[in-house]
Amino acid sequence: MSALRFAVIGINHDHIYGQVNVMLRAGAELVAFHAIEDDLAKIFAERYPQAVRVDDSRRILEDGSIALVLSAAICAERAGIAVAAMRHGKDVMLDKPGMTTFEQLAEVRKVQTETSRIVSILYSEHFETASTVKAGELVKAGVIGEVIHTTGLGPHRLRKPTRPDWFFERNRYGGILCDIASHQCEQFLFFTGSLEAEVLSATVANRANPETPGLQDYGDIHLSTPKATGYIRVDWFTPEGLPTWGDGRLFIVGTEGTIELRKYLDVAGRPGTDHLFLSDKKGVQHIDCSGFELPYGRQFAADIRDRTETAMGQEHCFKAMELALKAQQVAEATPAAKMEG
């Protein structure tokens, strides 16, 4: 059987490297990429010399041998790339956020239904994080009973001098809840096992960056399903002294136990990443998840071949973005959200 051939359109976020590597590990073949930025293209081409840089994205879209298009373009441009790819008979993997407006979400949903192509969003804080994958296995096995609450924390380091202009323009990156918190929205749906989620409250603010008024540097969300609640906090306040970009954490409360994830470091504790702490009726334990398999790429490649939904359910994919967009809307409707576009 010949290898799955894929290409990239848009490399504006470094998450594209994770996306490409996921598919390469699954045995797929990267054949081409399109990027208008010469500086970004130079770095990408050095990393993946097997990929031909094309000067027009239509050369990728019209190539019938390419089955999959990846994109980490500027956030507001990803939905349009997905629509074009699907209309050319290709499946799609996007960086988060996959959409920055409800109109984009509606259009992607519509075209996905019409074409029966697959749209997947690679939420790296879930699918590329072994401790999150392991937590999913434990929850599915019933180790902590029924999940009744999650708390997801997603702090990030701003690194302002390294950021492009679009990063500070609200209408291009989508807002902090649409962007960063879509990770935690997806995990809330995943761990509660529900697609019936609502936004109870949400806030965004620019607390410490008045010189870039379009930036939202803080946000939070309160969520609920018929059987669970959740809290999300995201921000751009990772201190310079922390040895990683953010102390991403997830707390899962079940009726028979709890799980805490220290995804990227155990502050002043054990070295390395992917720490899982389990407390249940048997006691407490630390599980080092760093060597566990990340199955998303393998599953996604199989989904493309078999037209299945094992890596991520299609409705789950869309519902996570719908929830993030709703939270962004609720937050910006409050008096505290004083933002410029």
Side-chain angles (χ1 to χ4, degrees), residues 81 208-209:
I81 292 169
N209 293 276

Side-chain angles (χ1 to χ4, degrees), residues 302-324:
D303 288 339
I304 292 173
R305 182 189 67 232
D306 302 331
R307 313 315 295 169
T308 50
E309 298 184 12
T310 60
M312 177 193 295
Q314 190 60 76
E315 184 54 32
H316 176 93
C317 173
F318 289 144
K319 184 64 179 181
M321 279 311 312
E322 179 185 315
L323 203 59

Side-chain angles (χ1 to χ4, degrees), residues 22-300:
V22 158
M23 296 314 300
L24 293 178
R25 290 197 301 269
E29 179 185 358
L30 173 63
V31 297
F33 77 99
H34 172 69
I36 62 174
E37 304 87 359
D38 290 336
D39 57 337
L40 299 180
K42 181 178 184 295
I43 298 169
F44 190 89
E46 289 173 351
R47 185 83 63 92
Y48 305 111
Q50 72 270 37
V52 176
R53 184 185 182 188
V54 300
D55 58 359
D56 190 327
S57 63
R58 287 175 295 185
R59 291 180 58 187
I60 291 172
L61 296 174
E62 295 170 2
D63 185 338
S65 73
I66 295 173
L68 170 67
V69 168
L70 275 54
S71 182
I74 294 170
C75 303
E77 299 174 2
R78 294 171 189 170
I81 292 169
V83 166
M86 286 188 288
R87 285 180 170 155
H88 283 82
K90 303 183 190 311
D91 297 314
V92 181
M93 181 206 293
L94 300 174
D95 181 21
K96 63 80 218 163
M99 308 88 194
T100 56
T101 68
F102 284 111
E103 291 76 16
Q104 289 182 358
L105 176 60
E107 178 71 3
V108 173
R109 279 184 183 270
K110 174 176 176 290
V111 175
Q112 189 279 321
T113 299
E114 291 172 352
T115 62
S116 298
R117 307 319 302 174
I118 300 171
V119 178
S120 190
I121 299 174
L122 180 56
Y123 291 100
S124 57
E125 294 186 30
H126 177 175
F127 299 108
E128 290 190 271
T129 306
S131 54
T132 315
V133 173
K134 179 61 177 180
E137 295 176 0
L138 293 172
V139 168
K140 184 177 181 180
V143 172
I144 62 169
E146 183 178 358
V147 172
I148 59 171
H149 184 81
T150 70
T151 297
L153 307 180
H156 285 60
R157 179 172 287 130
L158 185 54
R159 297 186 290 112
K160 186 176 288 188
T162 71
R163 300 292 184 176
D165 291 343
W166 65 263
F167 180 87
F168 303 100
E169 299 174 23
R170 159 63 182 85
N171 291 335
R172 300 182 80 191
Y173 75 87
I176 193 170
L177 300 182
C178 172
D179 181 15
I180 299 178
S182 60
H183 282 297
Q184 284 73 28
C185 288
E186 187 277 327
Q187 289 168 73
F188 177 70
L189 296 177
F190 175 75
F191 284 107
T192 60
S194 176
L195 293 177
E196 300 179 65
E198 297 181 357
V199 176
L200 300 180
S201 66
T203 64
V204 294
N206 184 325
R207 302 292 190 194
N209 293 276
E211 69 281 5
T212 51
L215 175 70
Q216 297 169 350
D217 58 22
Y218 177 87
D220 57 37
I221 312 173
H222 188 197
L223 303 164
S224 73
T225 71
K227 295 184 178 181
T229 56
Y231 174 74
I232 293 168
R233 190 206 79 216
V234 291
D235 63 66
W236 288 105
F237 292 115
T238 292
E240 290 300 320
L242 199 73
T244 189
W245 55 265
D247 185 13
R249 301 173 70 179
L250 177 66
F251 302 84
I252 308 169
V253 180
T255 53
E256 298 177 17
T258 63
I259 291 171
E260 177 185 350
L261 305 185
R262 303 298 296 260
K263 297 187 180 188
Y264 308 113
L265 82 167
D266 184 8
V267 175
R270 299 168 179 84
T273 62
D274 288 299
H275 302 277
L276 186 153
F277 302 91
L278 170 65
S279 303
D280 61 10
K281 58 189 175 183
K282 298 179 182 179
V284 297
Q285 61 176 305
H286 166 260
I287 301 175
D288 178 1
C289 304
S290 58
F292 291 177
E293 183 206 6
L294 299 173
Y296 172 89
R298 168 176 55 78
Q299 293 171 337
F300 187 50

